[in-house]
Amino acid sequence: MAKPYHHGNLRIVLLQAGVRLLEKRGATHLSLRELAKEAGVSHTAPYRHFKDKASLLTALAQVGYERLAEAMETTACQFADDPRQQIRDAGIAYILMAVRNPQVFHLMFGGIVKTTEYTPELSQAAQRAFAGLTKIINNGQEAGIYRSQDSASLALAAWSLVHGLSTLVNAGLLQSSPSSEEQLSAIADSVCNHLLCGMLG
Amino acid sequence: MAKPYHHGNLRIVLLQAGVRLLEKRGATHLSLRELAKEAGVSHTAPYRHFKDKASLLTALAQVGYERLAEAMETTACQFADDPRQQIRDAGIAYILMAVRNPQVFHLMFGGIVKTTEYTPELSQAAQRAFAGLTKIINNGQEAGIYRSQDSASLALAAWSLVHGLSTLVNAGLLQSSPSSEEQLSAIADSVCNHLLCGMLG
DNA sequence: ACCTGAACACCGTTCAAGT
DNA sequence: ACCTGAACACCGTTCAAGT
């Protein structure tokens, strides 16, 4: 069966191969020409679907936010009766997403995609991801377990904590780098507990 | 006065111009050739001082860690009698360093410099930076203000929090992006307070 | 020791030309 | 509409040659 001249599917194929190549090479060394070769098209074909390399990277970041949103939404539907458990699970899900897709995570948050170049779709995907986290905070607030009424600042603190830990782990900067996901989950759990209960005695 | 054939100073000049060019172009688009032109030497001269581009970036990341270490050490020497104030000040100093040098910060933590390629000097500079933060935690522990005895996990939580907030601000992902350093400091203070006092009521 | 210019193999991007 | 090959201006890196 002959391959159709009009590929028809190229955009999807480029995104899938793009994620694979991104994790292999990193955003900096991801080459459009290599990507085109992997997809079996000429090196200018991607320009039919993406204005330039930055635009491809933007689309890949969007894929990342969509994955993160899924992970958050899944967690937000579990343990709805235990807000403490929910927030720890969300933190762990966030961090696992980061360590399993380090280059995608880096692309999402590393300032490679300029905020000024965000497409509406990307902004929406990002908002979906954070809405999941916010919902978990709101669940806890309805249950009356939080000290503060300012849910935005609570969510920001929680988000900063898990996000920072993810980055530090990916950068390999922990004194004892966790060698397994179980170990990593334990670290994440301990850090989340400090935020829930406070450092002060 | 004629410029000496042996520049003598080139490494320093390249690092200084490198930081400037890094903030202007970002790590990805920082070009050795442009850097050489700015320094007034041929495009191969930098190879006398840096094995390759990665090695230059490593050196620039080291400069960043040294700046961060200075900021932490300065804070660790102030308000030694008030550990709560110290940790908030350290957090604010950390975040200000990040937003004032976003590309350097990104280079330090974005996974661009591979952990496996860390030079001893870079590791040492990074450790110095975190030692400052650890010292502040230890001060508080000696004063007996913390709930937990595990100072490493306390430091990791504090570090994750300020680091995550820095990254999110630099990525432009806060709902209301702070327009001034005063506003940013207020946000940082609020987030730090959540960690100190805990989210739970 | 330190610097240079030519050369090589890549890259992103554009564009006239093909189906 | 979608894809191609040639072309252009860049880039990192190497190397023989200069002082």
Side-chain angles (χ1 to χ4, degrees), chain B residues 156-170:
Chain B
L156 180 59
W159 186 18
S160 295
L161 190 81
V162 294
H163 186 79
L165 182 58
S166 302
T167 313
L168 295 176
V169 170
N170 271 351

Side-chain angles (χ1 to χ4, degrees), chain B residues 29-109:
Chain B
H29 298 106
L30 169 64
S31 132
L32 280 185
R33 290 168 101 111
E34 186 183 7
L35 178 60
K37 189 172 280 181
E38 276 219 359
V41 292
S42 83
H43 68 266
T44 60
Y47 286 85
R48 288 297 117 199
H49 300 278
F50 303 100
K51 188 173 81 60
D52 51 23
K53 183 177 173 181
S55 151
L56 171 76
L57 292 177
T58 302
L60 291 175
Q62 184 186 329
V63 171
Y65 279 114
E66 281 162 4
R67 286 189 190 177
L68 185 61
E70 275 174 46
M72 289 296 107
E73 284 161 7
T74 303
T75 308
C77 294
Q78 290 172 327
F79 303 105
D81 54 334
D82 187 349
R84 286 178 191 77
Q85 186 63 36
Q86 261 195 334
I87 199 165
R88 276 190 296 254
D89 279 0
I92 290 170
Y94 193 102
I95 291 164
L96 287 180
M97 150 77 198
V99 298
R100 285 173 184 161
N101 312 280
Q103 296 291 349
V104 172
F105 189 76
H106 175 217
L107 176 62
M108 292 158 66
F109 296 104

Side-chain angles (χ1 to χ4, degrees), chain A residues 136-194:
Chain A
I136 290 168
I137 301 283
N138 286 341
N139 285 349
Q141 205 147 39
E142 281 167 25
I145 64 165
Y146 294 135
R147 183 190 308 266
S148 162
Q149 304 308 316
D150 182 357
S151 83
S153 87
L154 287 171
L156 180 58
W159 186 18
S160 295
L161 190 81
V162 293
H163 186 79
L165 182 58
S166 302
T167 313
L168 295 177
V169 170
N170 271 350
L173 286 168
L174 262 56
Q175 296 221 335
S176 56
S177 278
S179 52
S180 69
E181 291 196 347
E182 285 74 27
Q183 219 175 322
L184 179 60
S185 297
I187 293 173
D189 201 61
S190 140
V191 166
C192 288
N193 263 322
H194 280 312

Side-chain angles (χ1 to χ4, degrees), chain A residues 5 30-33 43-44 47 52-53:
Chain A
Y5 181 76
L30 168 65
S31 132
L32 281 184
R33 291 168 102 109
H43 68 266
T44 59
Y47 285 85
D52 50 22
K53 183 178 173 180

Side-chain angles (χ1 to χ4, degrees), chain A residues 3-190:
Chain A
K3 198 171 55 174
Y5 181 76
H6 288 90
H7 194 297
N9 211 18
L10 185 54
R11 192 190 150 91
I12 308 274
V13 170
L14 288 174
L15 284 178
Q16 284 173 346
V19 170
R20 211 173 49 239
L21 213 52
L22 175 62
E23 285 301 338
K24 193 166 153 192
R25 302 246 180 268
T28 307
H29 297 105
L30 168 65
S31 132
L32 281 184
R33 291 168 102 109
E34 186 182 7
L35 178 58
K37 189 172 281 181
E38 276 220 0
V41 294
S42 83
H43 68 266
T44 59
Y47 285 85
R48 288 296 117 199
H49 299 277
F50 303 100
K51 188 173 82 58
D52 50 22
K53 183 178 173 180
S55 152
L56 170 76
L57 291 177
T58 303
L60 291 176
Q62 184 186 329
V63 171
Y65 279 114
E66 281 162 1
R67 286 189 190 177
L68 184 60
E70 275 175 46
M72 290 296 107
E73 284 160 7
T74 304
T75 308
C77 294
Q78 290 172 326
F79 303 105
D81 55 332
D82 186 349
R84 285 179 193 75
Q85 186 64 36
Q86 261 196 333
I87 199 165
R88 276 191 297 254
D89 279 0
I92 290 170
Y94 192 101
I95 290 164
L96 287 181
M97 151 77 198
V99 299
R100 285 172 184 161
N101 312 281
Q103 295 291 351
V104 173
F105 189 76
H106 176 216
L107 176 63
M108 292 157 67
F109 296 103
I112 297 173
V113 180
K114 305 280 171 228
T115 322
T116 54
E117 298 170 349
Y118 275 14
T119 60
E121 294 84 15
L122 175 60
S123 299
Q124 201 184 348
Q127 277 182 308
R128 240 187 82 202
F130 308 137
L133 187 59
T134 306
K135 191 188 171 197
I136 290 168
I137 301 283
N138 286 341
N139 285 349
Q141 205 147 39
E142 281 167 25
I145 64 165
Y146 294 135
R147 183 190 308 266
S148 162
Q149 304 308 316
D150 182 357
S151 83
S153 87
L154 287 171
L156 180 58
W159 186 18
S160 295
L161 190 81
V162 293
H163 186 79
L165 182 58
S166 302
T167 313
L168 295 177
V169 170
N170 271 350
L173 286 168
L174 262 56
Q175 296 221 335
S176 56
S177 278
S179 52
S180 69
E181 291 196 347
E182 285 74 27
Q183 219 175 322
L184 179 60
S185 297
I187 293 173
D189 201 61
S190 140

